[in-house]
Amino acid sequence: MVLQIAMVTWKHIGDLDRAEEYFRRVRKLDPAHPAAIDFYRVYYPARGENAKLLALLRQVEKSPRARAEGDGKSRPITVEIAELAEQQNNPEKAIEAWKQHLRSEPGSSEARTALARLYRRTEKWNALLDLMKDEIERLPEADVAGRVGRLHEVVEIYRDKLRLDVMVINTYNAILKIDPGNKRASDELAGKYRALGRWNDLIAILTRKSDATDLGDGERVALLREIADLWAERFGNFANAIKPLERIVELSPAIRTRSRDSRRSTSSGASGAR
């Protein structure tokens, strides 16, 4: 009877204040009654009292009835709470609600996107990293490109936000473990080793790069030259410097031959043109 009076007063008479008196009585009998909650979704925003609506929804979300009626078809109340909290510039409550929603629906891309945005906004870098690493683990092992792309994003957080060189290096090595030929990772890792003066590690990564089968001779020679210079100048180890120099000598005839053939081809083309 009270609910019928409340609905008539709200829907047909349009007297929200009078209707609220009856819906308040409904909620005393059933705090999570759906019709009453729908009314307050209209009533509180109309009065500019979104904070009260947020508090009410948080109460309802914890009620046994709300959990029992979660059929997966209607919009989860945790999502409503999260969006309302963010609209009220309350990122902490929004994060809490999205995390709760993610616990109930681990595959929710909506929750993951929102959490990533809020973690960046509040500079919760470690929480963002945990979220990103969880997403990487959820990717199939065969999705190398997807995993590598996410790991590069992890590198950016460690490098630009947390300034953790060790974790930057570890993440680059994780990329090279699943994608040994990844040029971006090997180039940036070599740059990091140079900046830190880790010459042995730099020699190791340059040696691995110089062994790549798809490398041009010119780039290979440049890498071998740098390796030889590092052995000679950083360690005074001329014996170890000999091996990369010998490889350069082996490559030089082929380079000279290609260069000669190229010049002949260019010369022939010019003669034909004349």
Side-chain angles (χ1 to χ4, degrees):
M1 290 292 293
V2 173
L3 178 61
Q4 290 182 41
I5 296 171
M7 293 297 292
V8 169
T9 308
W10 173 29
K11 294 290 188 179
H12 297 283
I13 300 176
D15 189 341
L16 294 182
D17 290 332
R18 186 69 182 275
E20 195 276 332
E21 296 177 12
Y22 292 102
F23 278 114
R24 196 185 319 148
R25 292 172 62 183
V26 170
R27 288 201 68 230
K28 285 182 180 179
L29 299 171
D30 185 353
H33 195 287
I37 305 310
D38 285 343
F39 168 77
Y40 282 106
R41 286 185 176 111
V42 175
Y43 179 72
Y44 282 135
R47 296 168 60 88
E49 296 178 334
N50 287 329
K52 289 186 178 181
L53 175 58
L54 180 59
L56 181 147
L57 292 174
R58 288 171 65 83
Q59 291 175 359
V60 171
E61 189 271 331
K62 295 175 183 177
S63 69
R65 173 168 179 164
R67 288 193 290 267
E69 291 182 350
D71 55 7
K73 297 178 182 178
S74 58
R75 191 162 178 261
I77 197 167
T78 49
V79 173
E80 187 177 357
I81 292 170
E83 291 178 345
L84 187 59
E86 193 168 358
Q87 289 169 13
Q88 294 181 25
N89 198 28
N90 193 334
E92 297 297 333
K93 286 186 178 179
I95 287 171
E96 181 183 343
W98 280 120
K99 285 171 67 176
Q100 185 165 343
H101 179 59
L102 191 60
R103 282 192 290 269
S104 62
E105 295 186 29
S108 172
S109 59
E110 184 182 15
R112 291 178 180 277
T113 300
L115 282 171
R117 181 182 65 253
L118 289 165
Y119 286 149
R120 289 183 183 276
R121 175 181 167 188
T122 56
E123 298 187 352
K124 295 180 181 293
W125 306 119
N126 286 315
L128 177 58
L129 286 168
D130 288 340
L131 179 69
M132 294 167 72
K133 290 175 182 177
D134 180 63
E135 290 177 352
I136 291 169
E137 289 299 318
R138 293 173 64 84
L139 290 174
E141 290 188 7
D143 186 5
V144 174
R147 284 174 168 255
V148 167
R150 296 295 178 85
L151 284 169
H152 276 298
E153 293 177 12
V154 170
V155 167
E156 291 174 4
I157 301 297
Y158 280 131
R159 182 191 62 212
D160 302 334
K161 304 301 182 181
L162 298 177
R163 304 289 196 272
L164 292 175
D165 290 330
V166 172
M167 296 308 299
V168 169
I169 290 169
N170 289 346
T171 309
Y172 277 134
N173 282 320
I175 292 173
L176 292 172
K177 185 176 180 180
I178 62 175
D179 185 11
N182 191 282
K183 190 175 186 301
R184 176 183 172 186
S186 59
D187 287 347
E188 293 179 4
L189 181 57
K192 177 59 69 175
Y193 284 147
R194 285 192 194 92
L196 296 175
R198 292 178 54 166
W199 309 121
N200 276 318
D201 291 323
L202 177 57
I203 289 172
I205 191 70
L206 293 177
T207 299
R208 183 162 59 182
K209 288 180 63 177
S210 71
D211 290 335
T213 56
D214 59 346
L215 200 63
D217 285 343
E219 189 175 354
R220 198 185 310 276
V221 166
L223 289 169
L224 292 169
R225 169 61 67 183
E226 185 175 0
I227 294 167
D229 289 344
L230 286 167
W231 280 121
E233 296 172 7
R234 297 295 177 180
F235 299 102
N237 191 330
F238 298 102
N240 283 351
I242 289 174
K243 185 175 180 180
L245 291 174
E246 288 176 340
R247 289 190 64 195
I248 292 174
V249 171
E250 292 172 2
L251 290 168
S252 294
I255 294 173
R256 286 197 298 270
T257 299
R258 276 196 293 273
S259 178
R260 223 172 17 244
D261 290 345
S262 177
R263 286 197 299 271
R264 287 174 180 169
S265 176
T266 303
S267 176
S268 299
S271 299
R274 286 195 298 271

